[in-house]
Amino acid sequence: MRLRRHLLLATVFMGASAAALPAFADDAASLEELVVTARRENRTSKGATGLDLSLTETPQAVTVIDRDFMDVFGLDDANSVLSLTPGVNVEEVETDRTYYNARGFDIRSMQIDGVGLPFTWNVAGDLDVAGYEKIEAVHGANGLLTGTGNPSGTINYVRKRPTNAFQGAAELTAGSWDRFRGEVDVSGPFSASGRWAGRLVAAAEDRDSWLDQNHSERTFVYGVVEGQIGDNAILTAGYTQQDSASKGVLWGALPLLYTDGTQAEWDVSTTTTMDWTKWDIRTRTSFVELVYELPRGWEAKGTLTYNDFKEPSRLFYTYGTPDRATGLGLYGYPGAYDQANNSTLFDGVLSGPIELGGKRHDLVLGVTVAKSQSGYLQYAAPADDPAWGALPPVGTWDGDEIAEPAWGPPTQAANFTNRFNRVYGAAHLDFGRGVKAVAGFNAIDVKTRGDSFGASMRRDEQAVSPYLGATWTFTRNLTLYGSYSDIFEPQAELDENLEPLGAAKGESWEGGLKGEWFDGRLYTSIALFKAEQDNYPEAAGMTPAGITFYRGIMTRSKGVELEAAGRLPGGVKVQGGFTQLEIEGEDGADVRTYVPRRTFVLGAVWEVPVIDGLEVGGTVKWQDDIHLDAALGTIRQDAYAIVNLVASYDLTDAVKATVRVNNVTDEKRLTSLYWEQAFYGAPRNVSVSLSYAF
């Protein structure tokens, strides 16, 4: 009977096939190891509170984009994933620099496997997502785990982990603009016992662009090893390497107004770059994680992460305002920089249950210590170089009008150190009758020393922020929830005296209703949110040396979010949502008008029942009109929708062919109005993929 019970446990918890079980049936010790391995693989994401909570138990809106969704629609980088995440807007301000916003404000908080990253998670270049199992968006202020409480949201990247059974997959993709991509993912145990396992993910991509002169290459490698040490400890070690190289890049973008105040219109392929420009990104990340199981269900976890980032660039910026008749009036500004950053972060967590009042309650207590060193080398172009002069009309360039300058020797333009320390804790309390609560705190201390482009970066800021949330499951399907969090966001922006602007501070509230339907196969939510914050940075001018300075403003945002994710009757899988918001300043007038007030996104996939192996689907992303008021006039982008279609067919049990058509209606639109310059998004494009599972 004992042997039979172990066989059942191994099958249920590890997903072992029936054919594999006899190989271990002769050795009782092997069966014990199989059960231990099951514990090694049992993982849940804790990106919202640090507690092991389901979506309905989490008192905030949370969106999960899983690996299946990414694979079906060919979402290979963070920009494409987040553009289809309900409530999130992707601001592609340049070819190789992107900002994200949600609920009206920039997203500045990132996590990896639920561990908050206190410094800027650089999104220059395309972040390849081949190494991630899913990507979560925690909507609203989340200072409890990230260390800051920006009211927009937090993006949590959840890494792929080794599997207990061997599996592998490979995919080749070819598409418009000579795009070629290859990807391989292999995972499995190193021995029959399964106590140690590993996973290797690699991807390479090469493509031209709809933009003139633009070409990019990207390689990505992720390796991870995970194993059991003794009976109670799990050790994981991993390494990620990404290299992105782009040529013919945009630093800034197209001018959008003529001298007479009317809005300029360009071909979608038009850029203001030169063919010698480049923007390279090199990232190396190593991490070690140790989880130790303590008595009575408690667990201690420590994670040490080291990141090394380098960003050499040779750039060409175009400024000025063109004349409508002649196209003249633009000037060049060359720039060459070598940016480097290395950061070390340790996060230690103690978590577990306690029994009180006949109920189980869960506690978590953590500490984070982090340090980041950043620097810039700047290469000056000679003052008499033609790159500084007047330019021919936009739209007539071939990219070779201005030769690359003879850069001077490097000078140190920036060198500063960030130190971040914090202690945080949370409790998930069960009051019975479906009522549960989350109470937590976050105490942080931030210090910065050094300077950047002639301005002091010195700052010393401390804060203790509370977090309160509650859920009430009042029927089998429905849960009411509400939460409150402080806003405390240390900021690097400088005021008119070139001193740090200081932290943005405020409060954030959220309440809503979550539901699970069809035996949990479909998840729905509606969230009402409101945030108020002071000292939010708004650009106020530029110094003669070209440094932008800011003023702090008071802002209010409020709105509603609707979301649904899961499987409908009839075999249709859906993921989507609708957001409507308002953003006002102190006087009640609209601010940040370049952020869409209403957005809608929906993805659906249908397994066609009459044709075995055929799957069809599509996505739609819609936003309403936006505008930006400039000195010469108003820049507008009308409402638009981007429709993507996909069809796949299983050629064999292991081989699948997929065809994707993006932007089916060939919609022309600006990628962002974040600045007074922008470029156009991708027109209609097609890709074909062939995947093999082994």
Side-chain angles (χ1 to χ4, degrees), residues 433-457:
R433 301 197 175 188
V435 178
K436 297 182 179 181
V438 176
F441 74 95
N442 181 61
I444 70 173
D445 178 85
V446 180
K447 289 182 172 61
T448 302
R449 297 291 184 270
D451 57 79
S452 177
F453 292 88
S456 172
M457 296 290 287

Side-chain angles (χ1 to χ4, degrees), residues 134-151:
K134 59 183 176 179
I135 297 176
E136 302 173 336
V138 182
H139 302 259
N142 189 26
L144 187 61
L145 280 206
T146 61
T148 59
N150 185 291

